[in-house]
């Protein structure tokens, strides 16, 4: 059963080939068997999963099943889950049991999905390799010496290893797309405002966006269909109905105009990755698309601007973790200041502390104009680059990441090299645009992802563009040998 996609599982559940309870048991057994080597899950919710599965089977008997009824999934541990530990990969929330469900969790529950557990992630979603997690690194199922990418590395590894057919992720600067690329799966970061952020622990509020990760674009369409939509409880949620993504997957690509930004194919891009990406683009030409070279001239400013905006917003968002209301509290504080400083010092890891310091500095009196305001101005220039590009082309394509998965430990001591993993993904968040990554080949054993960027609210188009490619290629069907 584990080899089937969500769409295939949904069909099997509908014909009664197996029940959701049988499917859930089979996947829980795989989690038990493989998680010790992958470390993809922080928490496994076996009992409540089986209860949800039985309820889904019952709903089906009553004739009230939808496409996701009884489908097992996993949630990144950044989404609040009622009665279940929600750690955000941090020691400071190690014992935090959320008292409510995030909207995304609520919506997937309502669609009948079964939660297998919570997946590992970089601490507070800060990272590109899953190595900043308090719970230890996740390993890449394609090569256990390699990182899975981050910050949604647990979700990506769990999907790639066939422990779950789908999972949720969040993407502030690339955290859905980059791990999807490094693990050979499909993931989409929707337009900012498309998916509710309510109950999703905030990292950088003006950039964060939740989205689905699965093996195929079709499965992402099914999950996104359930996740997307207006939410009164998120003031940045956009009141605009979500289309039926699954129904729009088959549109032909004849005449599709693909922009290839020259800045995404230059220095810094691994040449073997470039060849795989160029082959994928050639396949799109065979499908009837046209390609044109475009320029996104401010691309080189994306990482510096992001590393002002994201730390600034995180320093404000993370101020709430103070050892008073919830989360880790130090032993025997001698006064209030000691309580704050020791609780936070013990609770947050090194990368999170680095970003809080950078962000606090950038926002401090006298520096605001020089850093935060300047970064916001650059953000506008980056959005304008995309606006001009989308006046010419329908979608933009390029590599998701400049290299394939790197080895565990390879970049931990060098934050700048680590930050460069997101060189092609970060601008998309700064502009609030949707972006998707799909598997298009390998360098050696390690997968390569193609990034497809669209104009605002064109998730349907991105999924369609990925789906048509997956109809004529089989990269998305390849499984890492040890987990086939
Ligand atoms: N790697 C980037 C960072 O560390 C992006 C993370 C993300 O998208 N959550 O901030």
């Amino acid at each position: 059963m584990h080899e089937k996609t969500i769409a295939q599982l949904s069909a099997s559940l509908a014909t009664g080939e197996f029940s959701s309870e049988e499917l859930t048991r089979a996947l829980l057994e795989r989690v038990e068997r493989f998680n010790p080597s992958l470390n993809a899950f922080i928490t496994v919710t076996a009992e409540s999963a089986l209860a949800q599965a039985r309820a889904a089977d019952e709903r089906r008997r009553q004739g009230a099943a939808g496409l996701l009824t009884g489908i097992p999934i996993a949630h990144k541990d950044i989404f609040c889950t009622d009665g279940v530990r929600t750690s955000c990969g941090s020691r400071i929330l190690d014992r935090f049991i959320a008292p409510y469900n995030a909207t995304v969790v609520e919506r997937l529950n309502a669609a009948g999905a079964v939660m297998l557990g919570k997946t590992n992630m970089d601490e507070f979603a800060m990272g590109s390799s899953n190595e900043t997690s308090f719970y230890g690194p996740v390993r890449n199922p394609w090569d256990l010496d390699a990182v899975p990418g981050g910050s949604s590395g647990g979700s990506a590894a769990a999907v790639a290893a066939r422990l779950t057919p789908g999972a949720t992720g969040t993407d502030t600067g690339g955290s859905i797309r980059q791990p999807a690329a490094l693990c050979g799966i499909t993931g989409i970061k929707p337009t900012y405002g498309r998916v509710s952020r309510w109950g999703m622990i905030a990292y950088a509020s003006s950039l964060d966006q939740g989205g689905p990760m699965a093996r195929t674009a079709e499965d992402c369409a099914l999950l996104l269909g359930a996740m997307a939509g207006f939410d009164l409880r998120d003031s940045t949620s956009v009141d605009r109905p979500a289309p039926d993504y699954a129904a729009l997957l088959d549109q032909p690509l004849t005449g599709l105009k693909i922009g290839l930004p020259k800045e995404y194919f230059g220095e810094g891009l691994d040449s073997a990755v470039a060849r795989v990406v160029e082959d994928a683009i050639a396949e799109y030409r065979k499908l009837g698309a046209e390609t044109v070279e475009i320029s996104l001239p401010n691309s080189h400013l994306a990482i510096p601007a992001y590393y002002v905006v994201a730390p600034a917003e995180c320093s404000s968002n993370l101020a709430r973790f103070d050892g008073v209301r919830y989360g880790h509290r130090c032993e025997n504080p001698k006064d209030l200041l000691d309580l704050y400083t020791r609780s936070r010092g013990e609770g947050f890891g090194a990368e999170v502390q680095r970003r809080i310091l950078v962000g606090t500095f950038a926002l401090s009196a006298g520096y605001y104009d020089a850093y935060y305001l300047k970064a916001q101005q650059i953000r506008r220039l980056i959005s304008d680059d995309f606006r001009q590009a989308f006046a010419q082309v329908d979608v933009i394509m390029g590599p998701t990441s400049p290299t394939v998965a790197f080895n565990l430990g390879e970049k931990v001591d060098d934050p700048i090299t680590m930050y460069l993993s997101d060189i092609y993904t970060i601008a998309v968040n700064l502009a609030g645009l949707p972006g998707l990554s799909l598997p298009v080949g390998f360098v050696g054993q390690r997968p390569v992802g193609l990034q497809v960027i669209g104009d605002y609210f064109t998730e349907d188009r991105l999924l369609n563009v990925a789906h048509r490619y997956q109809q004529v290629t089989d990269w998305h069907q390849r499984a890492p040998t040890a987990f086939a």
Side-chain angles (χ1 to χ4, degrees):
M1 299 176 215
H2 66 269
E3 68 292 346
K4 290 187 194 290
T5 63
I6 294 178
Q8 290 165 342
L9 290 169
S10 183
S12 299
L13 290 171
T15 59
E17 194 185 321
F18 43 78
S19 67
S20 173
E21 187 177 351
E22 288 166 318
L23 170 62
T24 302
R25 262 185 216 290
L27 291 177
L28 286 169
E29 272 167 31
R30 280 182 72 78
V31 172
E32 202 178 327
R33 184 162 140 220
F34 293 116
N35 198 51
S37 58
L38 292 171
N39 200 25
F41 282 84
I42 292 176
T43 304
V44 179
T45 48
E47 252 175 63
S48 61
L50 290 167
Q52 275 186 316
R54 283 189 286 268
D57 287 332
E58 182 53 36
R59 206 159 133 183
R60 190 172 297 281
R61 273 191 292 277
Q62 291 164 1
L67 287 171
L68 292 178
T69 306
I71 300 290
I73 57 160
H75 286 296
K76 183 176 182 178
D77 210 16
I78 197 169
F79 288 101
C80 286
T81 41
D82 191 3
V84 176
R85 169 167 65 171
T86 301
S87 75
C88 219
S90 183
R91 181 180 182 201
I92 212 160
L93 290 178
D94 180 42
R95 279 176 295 177
F96 174 62
I97 310 284
Y100 64 94
N101 281 325
T103 298
V104 160
V105 173
E106 209 48 52
R107 282 176 176 264
L108 284 163
N109 281 348
V114 169
M115 179 177 87
L116 296 172
K118 307 290 297 287
T119 57
N120 203 343
M121 54 180 285
D122 278 298
E123 186 178 5
F124 284 100
M126 298 172 196
S128 305
S129 67
N130 223 296
E131 293 168 294
T132 71
S133 170
F134 172 61
Y135 302 92
V138 176
R139 289 173 184 271
N140 190 318
W142 292 96
D143 184 338
L144 297 178
D145 291 332
V147 302
S151 64
S152 313
S155 289
V159 171
R162 278 72 177 150
L163 307 187
T164 176
T168 54
T170 64
D171 191 312
T172 303
S175 282
I176 288 178
R177 292 159 287 157
Q178 186 257 16
L182 272 42
C183 287
I185 65 162
T186 308
I188 180 167
K189 176 207 107 66
T191 307
Y192 184 77
R194 177 74 291 181
V195 168
S196 169
R197 292 185 297 109
W198 196 75
M200 192 177 106
I201 296 174
Y203 161 17
S205 309
S206 74
L207 303 162
D208 298 340
Q209 187 62 199
M213 306 173 79
R215 302 223 303 275
T216 64
E218 183 181 24
D219 286 0
C220 285
L222 292 170
L223 292 172
L224 184 60
M227 292 164 78
F230 178 60
D231 183 4
L232 254 182
R233 294 172 298 191
D234 170 2
S235 62
T236 58
S237 164
V238 176
D239 191 359
R240 174 176 170 138
D244 182 350
Y245 299 111
L248 297 165
L249 289 169
D250 285 317
Q251 306 163 78
L253 301 186
T254 349
L256 178 81
K257 272 211 167 140
I258 301 174
L260 305 175
K262 63 171 194 267
E263 294 79 5
Y264 286 22
F265 291 87
E267 204 194 326
L269 175 60
D270 179 271
S271 59
V273 170
R275 275 194 294 278
V276 173
V277 167
E278 275 152 19
D279 287 348
I281 291 164
E283 194 65 47
Y284 274 103
R285 288 196 201 96
K286 284 197 225 152
L287 287 167
E290 289 166 37
T291 54
V292 283
E293 191 186 272
I294 58 164
S295 175
L296 300 169
N298 293 295
S299 294
H300 63 290
L301 298 175
I303 289 198
Y306 175 88
Y307 279 100
V308 172
V309 173
E313 294 183 13
C314 105
S315 72
S316 162
N317 275 324
L318 270 54
R320 70 190 63 161
F321 304 106
D322 55 7
V324 176
R325 286 161 293 187
Y326 40 70
H328 174 76
R329 178 179 297 173
C330 68
E331 303 255 346
N332 309 316
K334 61 177 196 306
D335 54 26
L336 188 59
L337 191 63
D338 186 43
L339 170 79
Y340 289 155
T341 50
R342 275 203 292 128
S343 300
R344 286 167 66 82
E346 293 164 5
F348 290 136
E351 183 62 24
V352 173
Q353 294 192 25
R354 169 162 34 234
R355 299 204 188 184
I356 292 173
L357 287 172
V358 170
T360 307
F361 176 78
L363 290 177
S364 50
Y367 291 102
Y368 179 87
D369 290 0
Y371 297 108
Y372 194 72
L373 190 66
K374 193 52 107 197
Q376 293 291 31
Q377 288 163 343
I378 290 171
R379 217 169 154 174
R380 169 52 64 92
L381 296 177
I382 287 170
S383 305
D384 285 348
D385 283 358
F386 281 112
R387 194 166 43 78
Q388 275 159 25
F390 287 121
Q392 264 180 281
V393 300
D394 301 309
V395 295
I396 293 172
M397 283 186 189
T400 305
S401 187
T403 64
V404 290
F406 41 93
N407 284 342
L408 280 149
E410 196 179 316
K411 300 190 181 177
V412 274
D413 297 326
D414 185 356
I416 303 291
T417 322
M418 186 72 93
Y419 296 172
L420 289 173
S421 299
D422 298 311
I423 190 150
Y424 306 128
T425 49
I426 272 180
V428 174
N429 300 72
L430 290 169
L433 294 165
L436 174 150
S437 179
L438 73 155
V440 294
F442 293 85
V443 173
Q445 288 269 55
R446 302 185 183 185
V448 173
L450 173 76
Q451 181 175 215
V452 191
I453 304 167
D455 207 347
Y456 298 104
F457 297 102
T458 59
E459 289 79 10
D460 53 342
R461 195 54 161 157
L462 300 187
L463 291 162
N464 156 238
V465 165
H467 178 70
R468 293 299 294 214
Y469 177 90
Q470 292 180 337
Q471 298 300 98
V472 296
T473 56
D474 68 355
W475 304 113
H476 60 290
Q477 287 165 358
R478 308 280 178 100
T481 335
F483 305 94

